[in-house]
């Protein structure tokens, strides 16, 4: 099944979240994804509000930067959200932007080591285990959550580079790929993730979920807005990156990512999207109608 979502970009003021969330709920959007980008908005605070304002909408946070957050705190917040809103939350953790981490004095010498230690500790805490760890970065002394989730939730990792993608396969339950991933990039990521899973002996545990952002522009000036954002990000030369056009064009781009191995495709509006509420209605209504819910991934 191809799940379809949309992003609330934190370039929008926090007070813009409620009307967009209500529009998403009313339109039947499956998933709304939030970012914890420095120094814009808190992913956990925004997720909690979005979940409280809705009854059905699934909310993802992709991603929470691990250098910025003690693993015990993140696990407490995750457990609270999963108990308050069971089945409606997905959280991803990752390196964060290293320049931002340096600005607040938490840039690690080894981001990979930190992420590995963090994933191992967080997943154990959310399983209800008592954790003692004396790692390079994660140090816990008999820490256990008093209110672990009723079920064991998935913890996803954000990844771009080969080593991080292999690590995600080894230690996470799923992977979030940013909007720099073309269909070929998704295929390559799947291979690297599976290498990590094989190395950790995890290939028998079922499918590793892959979430992919797709930079999307629609309506008046869509092609120009998409091109401008790709130029700002230095990605204008990457083939098959982003999509501009009507619902048919967007649905075809979604299907290409699904065929490459994406389980969830999250449409990411441009930073200057003129109608954010209209964008989520477009995704939930027009695009959803054209994307098969039972699309099969070629990556299997």
């Amino acid at each position: 099944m191809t799940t379809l979502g949309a992003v609330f970009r934190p370039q929008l003021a926090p007070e813009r979240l409620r009307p967009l969330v209500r529009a998403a709920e009313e339109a039947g959007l499956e998933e709304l994804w939030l970012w914890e980008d420095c120094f814009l908005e808190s992913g956990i605070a925004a997720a909690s509000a979005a979940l409280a304002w809705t009854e059905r909408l699934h909310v993802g946070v992709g991603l929470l930067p691990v250098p910025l957050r003690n693993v015990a705190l993140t696990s407490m917040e995750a457990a609270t959200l999963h108990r308050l809103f069971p089945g409606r939350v997905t959280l991803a953790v990752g390196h964060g932007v290293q320049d931002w981490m340096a600005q607040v004095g938490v840039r690690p010498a080894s981001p990979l080591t930190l992420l590995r230690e963090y994933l191992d500790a967080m997943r154990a805490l959310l399983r209800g285990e008592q954790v003692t760890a004396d790692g390079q970065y994660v140090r816990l002394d008999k820490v256990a959550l008093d209110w672990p989730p009723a079920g064991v939730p998935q913890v996803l990792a954000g990844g771009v580079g080969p080593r991080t993608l292999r690590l995600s396969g080894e230690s996470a339950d799923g992977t979030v790929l940013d909007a720099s991933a073309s269909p070929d990039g998704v295929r390559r990521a799947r291979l690297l993730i599976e290498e990590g899973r094989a190395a950790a002996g995890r290939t028998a545990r079922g499918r590793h979920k892959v979430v992919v952002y797709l930079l999307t522009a629609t309506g008046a000036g869509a092609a120009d807005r998409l091109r401008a954002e790709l130029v700002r990000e230095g990605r204008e030369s990457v083939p098959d990156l982003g999509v501009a056009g009507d619902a048919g064009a967007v649905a075809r781009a979604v299907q290409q990512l699904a065929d490459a191995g994406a389980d969830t495709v999250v449409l990411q509006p441009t930073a200057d999207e003129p109608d954010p509420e209209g964008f989520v209605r477009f995704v939930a209504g027009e695009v959803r109608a054209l994307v098969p819910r039972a699309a099969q991934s070629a990556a299997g």
Side-chain angles (χ1 to χ4, degrees), residues 205-222:
R205 297 190 181 187
R207 185 174 174 83
H208 182 102
K209 180 177 182 178
V210 171
V211 178
V212 184
Y213 293 124
L214 173 62
L215 185 60
T216 305
T218 191

Side-chain angles (χ1 to χ4, degrees), residues 7 32 86 104 108 115 118 142 235 247 254:
V7 176
L32 183 71
V104 294
L115 184 57
Y118 202 101
K142 298 178 181 177
R235 297 172 177 166
V254 169

Side-chain angles (χ1 to χ4, degrees), residues 53-281:
W53 290 329
T54 56
E55 298 293 332
R56 179 206 52 78
L57 183 67
H58 191 102
V59 175
V61 181
L63 49 76
L64 301 168
V66 299
L68 198 61
R69 303 175 135 269
N70 184 280
V71 68
L73 175 62
T74 302
S75 300
M76 289 165 57
E77 292 179 322
T80 300
L81 286 177
H82 283 290
R83 290 186 71 106
L84 288 172
F85 309 102
R88 296 179 56 206
V89 185
T90 299
L91 298 181
V93 298
H95 300 308
V97 176
Q98 295 304 293
D99 287 347
W100 293 341
M101 300 302 103
Q103 279 184 272
V104 294
V106 295
R107 182 171 184 166
S110 176
L112 280 169
T113 301
L114 169 56
L115 184 57
R116 184 186 301 278
E117 293 178 357
Y118 202 101
L119 284 165
D120 290 347
M122 183 173 175
R123 292 178 68 238
L125 288 167
L126 291 176
R127 290 194 298 266
E129 299 175 14
Q130 183 183 89
V131 179
T132 295
D134 187 22
Q136 183 175 342
Y137 298 100
V138 174
R139 299 181 177 90
L140 302 173
D141 182 13
K142 298 178 181 177
V143 175
L145 299 176
D146 286 330
W147 296 104
V152 181
Q154 291 186 326
V155 178
L156 279 58
V160 176
R163 291 188 296 169
T164 302
L165 291 169
R166 290 191 189 97
L167 171 59
S168 185
E170 292 175 25
S171 299
D173 300 304
T175 302
V176 177
L177 304 177
D178 69 15
S180 66
S182 65
D184 283 344
V186 174
R187 292 185 185 92
R188 289 191 295 270
R190 270 281 180 200
L191 291 173
L192 292 163
I193 290 164
E194 291 306 315
E195 287 179 12
R197 295 183 78 206
R202 303 183 72 203
T203 54
R205 297 190 181 187
R207 185 174 174 83
H208 182 102
K209 180 177 182 178
V210 171
V211 178
V212 184
Y213 293 124
L214 173 62
L215 185 60
T216 305
T218 191
D224 291 338
R225 286 189 286 112
L226 177 66
R227 188 180 307 108
E229 181 136 337
L230 290 172
V231 168
R232 284 195 299 272
E233 296 176 354
R235 297 172 177 166
E236 67 275 18
S237 62
V238 180
D240 302 321
L241 203 59
V243 59
D246 61 11
V250 175
R252 288 189 291 275
V254 169
Q255 190 61 57
Q256 288 177 341
L257 292 171
D259 291 341
D263 301 295
T264 298
V265 180
V266 184
L267 304 191
Q268 173 184 319
T270 58
D272 58 354
E273 165 59 49
D275 183 7
E277 290 82 11
F279 184 84
V280 299
R281 295 188 188 99

Side-chain angles (χ1 to χ4, degrees), residues 36-52:
E36 188 165 84
D37 277 1
C38 296
F39 299 96
L40 294 165
E41 293 163 13
S42 159
I44 294 294
S48 184
L51 289 159

